[in-house]
């Protein structure tokens, strides 16, 4: 990829090319532009030709063509001459059109199929759509209008009508566009507010969608009335009427192409970098990519593919040897198409299986970009037995059938995480089934933001990490502990979920609906689903609700759970929706993740690569029993195109359980229907059934043996064990190998739906914020135990702590009355060598309630503090608990510099050079721990001389949440501001630099000679 400077130059060149396309003959402008603001007049002519109806309104002509019972096309030629610059580039052949009928009425013509009627009003010419039952779908508030540059449709807006779509809209799209204006076209803004991978399609909660068949950019204002404009003097739109948003997306993708089915390695993590002639990393060779691949293997981390030439001027060598080396490490070779795809045949024959397209291609117009996606996809398939698999940073309608839409070059930060959350789920509403962004961006970032970003992106269908452009490479094993272990856990969690995610990938090829979904798609009748209440969360399939942490915090507020029962994936605690969860405890290794009641999730346990699967590998089902539910697993060989000829299999798990409370559970596993190369003829099965109540027996063609411990379960070939301490109580079952060609039933007797026999009696745990410990120092950790609607008795609290910590067991609590809370304090001593920072602790309470033995769990973060300072200490020499910075890392004893570490200049304010101090870039926030041992903070504050007069900021000092001092506005031309602040008794102090004028250009704020005076 390119630096920010190269981005700007590429954009200028690309925009010049784009303007040339839009102003050339292909833009379909009329030879003699109409006067500004012309609205179509009265209908002066009508004729019918089967499913095509021709309309005349003075010099203008219109045409209505029915495609299916619920899909039709309206075209308007202001000068009477129809043009079609899109041709067959986007819309696919649709087969035989439906039978239609028409009827003239006094004020209109009715054009009808069995499902809908399009009313064509005569005076003036105006359209409205009605269903067969007479209900209105949409109507024009005025006739189609145009001027020399654009055409506009104006629709009446319903009182509660919501709108979605327009492609990838960065920072928005998973909640309603109502009252908003969105742009549809490439703007090369890959950050919040940009709109890469635009799609001229939107859908409405009123049950319809509109696709503008064009390559021209547009503006859609979902105000009252709704106006949708394209920058061309012609009108060409397809309309879809459906019973649901999913139905409309399905019709749109039937017209423009269903999403492709990626190879299974395409759903694994990808890695991208330049190896040959990488100016950022020094001289390397293409084969050096294998050393990085070794890092994934040695760290037991999944990775499916690697791009080895991702950088301008990078090139490659030894391609076949590199491809073979990657394949030996269970990875595939990818290439960036900076130089086009003329050589793709030779590259694919040498082993290329992934093609990432260049942003500059869009400079020649959207059609060129779409053709690039299709041609690269075809190039892989024409020269191998593999499936086409491409990544595109800027694309258009139709690209869903050939590639992943990627959101471009971005800088890792908390803000980056925040605005990406709504982006990808929102894009699903435009038929884009695979959308993603680089883990932690390609610039900036940090160990913590990388880990937080990777967590939730494992629940996207596709994702990759980009290396070579930030201060250090961004493979998930680069950051040391605890980050490496956490990243490994989430990579392997995604790997285990491949059967679930791959089944949804196949579903997208049939329905057009991607796995990553806004809540509004799954819960269209929930009024909060369309609002900001659900903006920073999404559904991964129908069963997982993902609410990423997008701030430097160990808690997450505002998690909206819609109607239903939701189980915390990590603790087993259940919630009844609709509800909003605040204060969710989310230490660094914990992604807020909830599973819907009734879920049955197929999994591949314990693998690093899909290639680890053997003929004897188990299939695991993770089941949250509630009512009647089912899931159909889709399987094929994962890599070839034989599935298109029917070489695949499906297997359905049907679960019957109580709607709530006590009862039996039956799990029916159907026969695996279909064949493909490598299909297992037999396999063992594992089941994890989240009941919360121990069953009396488990039967599979007779009683399965009951096992008494985790060790016995691990050793046995088949049997069951109830683990009351695992996520609120889980029944674990495994079978001997069973034929995939035969169905079988598993019955759990005398147990319960998810949540237990008496879910309302379940106790819950919570932990007060801000609990601190010190390395090698005894301290107290508090845990609150809250009883449900029944008394809790015999509550014994234990803590699972990091290795080397010591815990003094707490006394058992005899009784906690129903609905009340009891605080339990536990004595802990961190290890002598415990690193300062966050440590994850899990509290476990074993108790009895409502006649049952139960267990409640809660993860939380305990902060390990460094030793407090003594004497006079420089702020740059202290350990920083947090160090958020606006651009690159905050620097010790240097100015901020650029995006890398230690790349700043000597700290200089008003001509004075400081040997000690802190160099930042607004907005910056550095936290240090004083432990109440210091009395004074002094410094000289100002904007570094390296900025030469630019910038405008304010400095502030905060202690334990209270602002102690704030500077006046400081500019690059200001005098140095002396800082002398009393910090007596303060435990935590934050040094902040904040932008004050909305432009962060030049905001290089320095804390010169920053020093604390301590006892």
């Amino acid at each position: 990829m390119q630096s920010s400077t190269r981005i700007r130059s590429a954009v200028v060149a690309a925009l010049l090319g784009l303007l040339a396309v839009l102003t050339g003959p292909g833009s379909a402008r009329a030879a003699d532009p109409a006067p500004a603001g012309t609205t179509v007049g009265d209908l002066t002519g009508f004729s019918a030709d089967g499913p095509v109806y021709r309309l005349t309104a003075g010099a203008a002509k219109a045409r209505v063509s029915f495609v299916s019972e619920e899909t039709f096309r309206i075209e308007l030629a202001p000068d009477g001459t129809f043009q079609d610059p899109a041709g067959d580039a986007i819309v696919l052949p649709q087969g035989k059109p439906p039978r239609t009928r028409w009827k003239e009425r006094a004020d209109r013509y009715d054009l009808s199929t069995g499902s809908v009627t399009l009313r064509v009003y005569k005076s003036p010419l105006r359209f409205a759509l009605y269903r067969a039952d007479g209900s209105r779908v949409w109507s024009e508030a005025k006739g189609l209008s145009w001027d020399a540059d654009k055409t506009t449709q104006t629709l009446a807006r319903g009182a509660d009508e919501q709108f979605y779509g327009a492609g990838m809209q960065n920072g928005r799209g998973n909640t309603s566009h109502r009252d908003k204006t969105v742009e549809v076209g490439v703007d090369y803004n890959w950050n919040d507010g940009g709109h890469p991978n635009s799609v001229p399609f939107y859908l409405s909660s009123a049950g319809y969608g509109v696709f503008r068949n064009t390559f021209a950019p547009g503006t859609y204002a979902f105000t009252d009335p709704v106006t949708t404009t394209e920058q061309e003097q012609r009108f060409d739109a397809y309309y879809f009427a459906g019973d649901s948003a999913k139905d409309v997306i399905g019709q749109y993708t039937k017209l423009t192409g269903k999403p492709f089915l990626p190879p299974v390695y395409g759903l694994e993590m990808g890695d991208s970098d330049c190896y040959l002639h990488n100016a950022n990393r020094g001289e390397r060779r293409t084969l050096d990519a294998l050393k990085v691949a070794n890092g994934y293997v040695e760290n037991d981390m999944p990775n499916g593919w690697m791009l080895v030439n991702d950088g301008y001027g990078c090139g490659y060598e030894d391609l076949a040897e590199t491809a073979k080396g990657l394949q030996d490490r269970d990875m595939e070779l990818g290439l960036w198409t900076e130089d086009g795809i003329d050589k793709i045949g030779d590259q694919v024959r040498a082993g290329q299986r992934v093609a990432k397209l260049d942003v500059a291609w869009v400079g020649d117009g959207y059609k060129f970009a779409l053709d690039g996606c299709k041609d690269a996809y075809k190039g892989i398939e024409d020269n191998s037995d593999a499936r086409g698999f491409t990544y595109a940073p800027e694309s258009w309608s139709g690209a869903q059938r050939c590639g992943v839409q990627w959101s471009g070059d971005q800088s890792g930060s908390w803000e980056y995480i925040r605005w990406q959350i709504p982006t990808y789920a929102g894009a699903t509403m435009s038929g884009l089934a695979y959308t993603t962004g680089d883990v932690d961006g390609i610039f900036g970032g940090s160990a913590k933001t990388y880990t937080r970003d990777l967590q939730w992106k494992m629940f996207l269908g596709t994702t990759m990490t980009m290396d070579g452009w930030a201060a250090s490479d961004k493979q998930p094993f680069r950051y040391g502990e605890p980050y490496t272990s956490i990243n490994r856990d989430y990579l392997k969690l995604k790997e285990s979920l491949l059967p679930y995610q791959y089944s949804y990938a196949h579903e997208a090829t049939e329905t057009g609906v991607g796995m990553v979904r806004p809540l509004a798609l799954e819960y269209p009748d929930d009024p909060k689903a369309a609002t900001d209440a659900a903006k920073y969360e999404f559904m991964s399939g129908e069963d997982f609700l993902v609410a990423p942490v997008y701030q430097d915090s160990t808690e997450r507020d505002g998690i909206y759970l819609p109607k239903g029962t939701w189980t915390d994936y990590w603790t087993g605690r259940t919630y009844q929706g609709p509800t909003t969860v605040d204060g969710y405890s989310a230490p660094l290794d914990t992604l807020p993740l909830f599973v819907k009641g009734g879920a049955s999730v197929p999994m591949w346990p314990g693998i690093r690569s899909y290639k680890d699967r053997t003929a004897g590998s188990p299939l695991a089902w993770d089941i949250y029993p509630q009512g009647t539910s089912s899931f159909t697993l889709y399987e094929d060989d994962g890599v070839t195109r034989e599935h298109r000829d029917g070489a695949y299999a499906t297997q359905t798990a049907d679960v019957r359980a109580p709607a709530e409370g006590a009862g039996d559970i039956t799990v029916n596993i159907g026969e695996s229907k279909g064949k493909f190369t490598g299909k297992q003829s037999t396999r063992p099965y594992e089941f994890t059934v989240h009941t919360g109540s121990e069953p009396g027996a488990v039967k599979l063609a007779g009683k399965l043996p009951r096992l008494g411990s985790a060790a016995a379960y691990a050793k046995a070939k088949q049997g069951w064990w109830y683990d009351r301490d695992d996520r609120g109580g889980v029944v674990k079952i495994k079978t001997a190998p069973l034929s995939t060609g035969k169905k079988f039933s598993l019955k759990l007797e005398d147990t319960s739906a998810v949540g237990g026999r008496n879910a309302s009696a379940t106790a819950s745990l919570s932990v007060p914020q801000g609990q601190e410990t010190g390395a090698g120092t005894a301290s107290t950790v508090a845990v609150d135990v809250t009883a449900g609607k029944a008394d809790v008795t015999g509550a014994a609290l234990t803590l699972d702590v990091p290795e080397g910590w010591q815990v003094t067991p707490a006394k058992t609590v005899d009784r906690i009355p129903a609905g009340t809370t009891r605080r339990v304090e536990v004595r802990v001593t961190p290890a002598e060598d415990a690193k300062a920072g966050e440590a994850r602790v899990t509290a476990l309470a074993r108790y009895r309630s409502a006649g049952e033995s139960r267990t409640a769990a809660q993860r939380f973060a305990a902060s390990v503090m460094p030793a407090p300072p003594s004497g006079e200490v420089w702020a740059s020499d202290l350990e920083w608990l947090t160090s958020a910075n606006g651009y690159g890392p905050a620097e010790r004893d240097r100015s901020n510099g650029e995006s890398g570490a230690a790349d700043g200049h000597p700290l200089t304010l008003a001509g004075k050079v400081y040997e000690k101090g802190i160099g930042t870039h607004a907005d910056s926030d550095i936290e240090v721990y004083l432990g109440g041992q210091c009395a004074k903070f002094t410094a000289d504050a100002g904007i570094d001389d390296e900025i030469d007069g630019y910038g405008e900021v304010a400095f502030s000092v905060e202690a334990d949440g209270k602002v102690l001092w704030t500077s006046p506005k400081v500019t690059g031309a200001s005098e140095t501001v002396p800082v002398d602040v009393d910090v007596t008794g303060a435990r935590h102090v934050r040094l902040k630099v904040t932008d004050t004028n909305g432009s962060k250009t030049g905001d290089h704020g320095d804390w010169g000679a920053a020093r604390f005076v301590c006892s």
Side-chain angles (χ1 to χ4, degrees):
M1 295 311 301
Q2 62 269 37
S3 68
S4 56
T5 303
R6 290 297 300 271
I7 291 174
R8 296 188 190 98
S9 60
V11 168
V12 171
L15 287 176
L16 290 174
L18 181 58
L19 288 172
V21 170
L22 293 179
T23 56
S27 63
R29 297 188 178 212
D32 299 306
T38 302
T39 299
V40 69
D42 293 348
L43 186 67
T44 57
F46 173 87
S47 65
D49 182 11
V52 179
Y53 298 86
R54 304 180 189 278
L55 315 170
T56 303
K61 291 185 178 179
R63 186 164 57 196
V64 176
S65 308
F66 282 88
V67 177
S68 73
E69 285 280 322
E70 296 176 308
T71 301
F72 58 90
R73 180 185 189 185
I74 297 177
E75 299 169 88
L76 174 75
D79 64 351
T81 302
F82 291 104
Q83 299 187 55
D84 189 2
D88 61 0
I90 304 174
V91 173
L92 300 178
Q94 295 297 297
K96 186 177 180 180
R99 294 185 62 181
T100 64
R101 61 187 185 278
W102 64 274
K103 184 173 184 178
E104 183 176 7
R105 301 184 184 276
D107 62 338
R108 67 181 190 269
Y109 289 90
D110 286 348
L111 317 180
S112 302
T113 69
S115 299
V116 297
T117 293
L118 180 67
R119 294 184 180 181
V120 182
Y121 291 97
K122 298 177 180 178
S123 183
L125 173 59
R126 187 171 59 83
F127 298 99
L129 183 66
Y130 286 75
R131 300 187 191 278
D133 63 5
S135 61
R136 189 177 71 182
V137 181
W138 58 260
S139 65
E140 290 186 322
K142 59 178 285 188
L144 296 169
S145 60
W146 65 90
D147 60 22
D149 300 310
K150 60 185 181 295
T151 58
T152 300
Q153 184 175 45
T154 305
L155 298 181
R157 191 180 75 175
D160 300 311
E161 192 173 3
Q162 310 297 330
F163 303 90
Y164 305 88
M168 185 184 286
Q169 297 284 327
N170 285 353
R172 57 212 188 282
N174 72 331
T175 54
S176 178
H177 290 317
R178 183 181 173 92
D179 292 323
K180 299 179 177 66
T181 297
V182 298
E183 299 295 331
V184 180
V186 177
D187 64 350
Y188 296 93
N189 176 4
W190 292 336
N191 294 310
D192 192 7
H195 40 89
N197 295 298
S198 289
V199 174
F201 164 79
Y202 71 91
L203 59 82
S204 161
S205 62
Y208 72 90
V210 183
F211 163 61
R212 297 289 281 267
N213 182 35
T214 181
F215 285 113
T219 301
Y220 300 169
F222 297 106
T223 49
D224 191 7
V226 174
T227 60
T228 57
T229 298
E230 304 290 345
Q231 295 179 25
E232 58 180 357
Q233 202 200 40
R234 57 183 287 274
F235 182 86
D236 187 351
Y238 286 84
Y239 298 83
F240 316 95
D243 295 329
S244 67
K246 290 182 181 180
D247 189 20
V248 172
I249 293 169
Q251 292 182 51
Y252 162 71
T253 52
K254 182 177 185 297
L255 184 77
T256 62
K258 296 293 190 221
F260 76 114
L261 180 62
V264 69
Y265 54 78
L267 299 184
E268 295 178 318
M269 182 80 153
D271 187 287
S272 179
D273 201 355
C274 167
Y275 288 92
L276 188 64
H277 311 311
N278 185 335
N280 295 331
R281 293 291 183 265
E283 186 59 29
R284 296 192 297 187
R285 319 302 298 189
T286 304
L287 284 170
D288 287 331
L290 301 183
K291 298 175 184 177
V292 174
N294 286 340
Y296 282 96
V297 176
E298 291 162 1
N299 284 280
D300 191 23
M301 287 184 168
N303 190 65
W305 49 276
M306 290 184 68
L307 293 173
V308 299
N309 69 329
D310 206 348
Y312 283 110
C314 185
Y316 59 80
E317 61 189 6
D318 301 318
L319 200 62
E321 187 178 354
T322 303
K324 178 63 167 57
L326 290 174
Q327 290 165 3
D328 290 343
R329 293 159 175 82
D330 297 334
M331 303 174 202
E332 298 292 342
L333 171 71
L335 292 174
W336 182 43
T337 57
E338 176 203 352
D339 298 322
I341 57 173
D342 293 343
K343 303 175 184 177
I344 196 166
D346 291 337
Q347 292 168 342
V348 171
R349 286 188 288 273
Q352 179 188 2
R353 293 296 181 267
V354 184
K356 181 162 168 283
L357 309 182
D358 186 10
V359 58
W361 285 23
V362 185
D364 286 332
Y366 306 113
K367 183 179 185 300
F368 192 81
L370 179 58
D371 287 345
C373 178
K374 292 188 286 189
D375 291 346
Y377 182 91
K378 187 173 184 293
I380 293 173
E381 298 204 342
D382 284 351
N383 294 281
S384 73
D385 66 351
R387 302 174 198 174
F389 184 62
T390 76
Y391 261 61
E394 303 283 0
S395 61
W396 202 247
S397 286
Q400 73 273 3
R401 61 188 188 242
C402 57
V404 176
Q405 282 69 54
W406 163 75
S407 58
D409 293 353
Q410 291 130 355
S411 184
S413 66
W414 296 109
E415 268 294 283
Y416 169 74
I417 297 173
R418 180 194 63 79
W419 65 254
Q420 283 209 331
I421 298 166
T423 300
Y424 307 125
T428 299
M429 301 299 261
S430 297
L432 301 180
Y434 307 101
T435 55
T436 194
D438 299 319
V439 176
D440 206 33
I442 74 169
F443 308 114
S446 67
K448 188 177 286 187
T449 55
Y450 187 100
T451 294
R452 283 298 196 192
D453 200 36
L454 182 142
Q455 289 173 355
W456 71 273
K457 283 180 175 168
M458 295 301 95
F459 288 84
L460 303 180
T462 53
T463 197
M464 71 173 180
T465 187
M466 170 73 81
D467 308 296
W469 303 98
S472 63
D473 280 351
K474 290 200 169 189
Q475 282 89 16
F477 49 81
R478 296 289 186 188
Y479 298 101
E481 295 298 345
Y483 309 103
T484 296
S485 291
I486 298 171
N487 293 341
R488 178 189 301 111
D489 288 344
Y490 279 90
L491 285 164
K492 296 190 82 170
L493 175 59
K494 177 179 175 60
E495 203 74 10
S496 70
L497 288 170
L498 281 177
Y500 176 83
Q501 296 191 356
Y502 195 61
S503 295
Y504 273 102
H506 172 259
E507 180 181 297
T509 67
E510 298 181 330
T511 66
V513 180
M515 180 183 72
V516 183
R517 304 173 178 185
L519 266 64
L521 187 62
E522 292 298 326
Y523 300 91
D525 298 326
D526 187 329
K528 285 192 174 183
T531 71
D532 284 356
K535 186 171 185 178
Y536 297 113
E537 59 193 69
F538 62 91
M539 300 296 299
S540 187
E542 296 182 9
D543 294 325
F544 288 101
L545 188 149
V546 185
V549 176
Y550 56 90
Q551 296 172 320
D552 189 3
S553 174
T554 58
E555 291 198 345
R556 166 71 206 259
D557 290 330
I559 302 173
Y560 179 68
L561 303 178
K563 184 179 180 180
T565 301
W566 298 92
T567 300
D568 184 321
Y569 186 78
W570 311 108
T571 68
R573 179 176 176 178
T574 58
Y575 299 81
Q576 291 300 318
T579 189
T580 298
V581 179
D582 289 321
Y584 179 91
S585 182
L588 183 62
D589 68 348
T590 303
L591 167 72
L593 181 65
F594 302 85
V595 188
K596 182 180 178 180
S600 296
V601 180
M603 302 179 75
W604 288 339
I607 60 171
R608 187 191 67 82
S609 166
Y610 77 94
K611 292 184 179 180
D612 292 341
R613 298 281 295 171
T614 68
S617 293
L619 176 67
W621 288 93
D622 194 24
I623 297 174
Y624 297 76
Q626 186 176 54
T628 300
S629 60
S630 69
F631 187 94
T632 298
L633 169 70
Y634 171 87
E635 299 176 281
D636 61 27
D637 66 25
V639 292
T640 76
R641 303 189 296 275
E642 292 181 4
H643 66 286
R644 297 178 191 170
D645 297 321
Y648 63 87
T650 59
Q651 186 177 34
T652 299
D654 290 306
V655 180
R656 297 197 305 271
E660 61 179 283
D664 297 342
I665 297 170
T666 301
V667 180
N668 294 312
I669 303 296
E671 65 179 289
S672 178
K673 299 177 181 178
K675 297 179 180 180
F676 61 88
T677 302
K679 178 182 174 179
Q680 293 173 288
S681 58
T682 64
R683 61 184 168 205
Y685 290 84
E686 297 178 2
F687 298 87
T688 303
V689 188
H690 297 256
T691 60
S693 290
E694 185 172 7
V698 177
K699 294 182 177 179
L700 173 64
K703 285 188 177 182
L704 283 174
R706 180 175 185 167
L707 305 166
S709 67
Y713 179 78
K715 187 177 180 180
K717 293 184 178 180
Q718 67 175 5
W720 70 276
W721 175 53
Y722 180 71
D723 187 350
R724 64 172 286 191
D725 292 342
D726 185 7
R727 292 164 289 175
V730 172
V731 186
K732 298 179 179 180
I733 307 163
K734 60 182 175 181
T735 75
L738 300 173
S739 170
T740 56
K742 296 181 179 179
K743 62 184 180 180
F744 66 90
S745 291
L746 189 70
K747 188 171 184 179
L748 288 72
E749 295 181 339
D750 188 25
T751 182
S752 67
V754 64
R757 294 186 181 92
N758 191 339
S760 64
T762 303
S764 61
L765 306 184
S766 59
V767 180
Q769 283 187 272
Q771 300 198 64
E772 296 178 354
T773 62
T777 302
S779 56
T780 298
V781 170
V783 178
D784 293 334
V785 183
T786 301
K789 292 186 176 181
D791 289 0
V792 163
T793 59
L797 185 73
T798 59
L799 297 182
D800 180 13
V801 296
E803 186 176 357
W805 287 38
Q806 300 297 318
V807 179
T808 301
K811 291 183 179 180
T812 299
V813 181
D814 292 335
R815 182 175 297 277
I816 304 174
T820 67
T821 299
R822 173 75 177 269
R823 176 160 293 182
V824 180
E825 294 185 343
V826 185
R827 197 76 168 165
V828 298
T829 305
E832 291 281 354
D833 60 352
K835 292 182 179 180
E838 174 190 328
R840 198 257 281 175
V841 175
T842 301
L844 204 69
R846 303 180 106 223
Y847 65 94
R848 285 189 63 81
S849 181
E852 277 193 280
S853 294
R854 299 292 302 268
T855 304
Q858 180 62 63
R859 292 179 168 195
F860 65 95
S863 297
V864 179
M865 295 293 107
S870 61
E872 295 187 2
V873 292
W874 301 109
S876 57
D877 292 339
L878 290 176
E879 186 164 354
W880 296 346
L881 299 182
T882 60
S883 57
N885 203 51
Y887 185 71
E891 299 282 10
R892 300 175 188 265
D893 307 326
R894 303 179 71 87
S895 67
N896 183 79
E898 297 298 328
S899 62
D903 62 1
H905 302 98
L907 287 163
T908 308
L909 296 173
K912 180 179 178 179
V913 178
Y914 293 80
E915 290 187 7
K916 304 294 291 182
I918 300 172
T920 73
H921 188 296
D923 291 331
S924 174
D925 182 357
I926 294 171
E927 180 185 5
V928 296
Y929 179 71
L930 304 183
Q933 300 300 305
C934 302
K936 181 183 290 189
F937 171 69
T938 61
D940 290 340
I943 292 180
D944 198 282
D945 288 0
E946 68 183 357
I947 296 305
D948 196 24
Y950 289 100
E952 183 179 304
V953 302
F955 294 79
S956 62
V957 178
E958 296 182 8
D960 300 329
K962 181 180 179 181
V963 178
L964 301 182
W965 172 85
T966 301
S967 75
K969 180 177 70 176
V970 177
T971 72
S974 297
E975 294 293 326
T976 302
V977 178
V979 185
D980 190 337
V981 182
D982 184 350
V983 294
T984 300
R987 295 179 60 81
H988 293 258
V989 166
R990 305 179 90 108
L991 307 179
K992 293 186 175 182
V993 182
T994 308
D995 171 68
T996 55
N997 65 353
S999 171
K1000 297 181 181 179
T1001 302
D1003 285 353
H1004 287 215
D1006 291 348
W1007 299 90
R1011 183 174 59 176
F1012 290 96
V1013 178
C1014 309
S1015 59

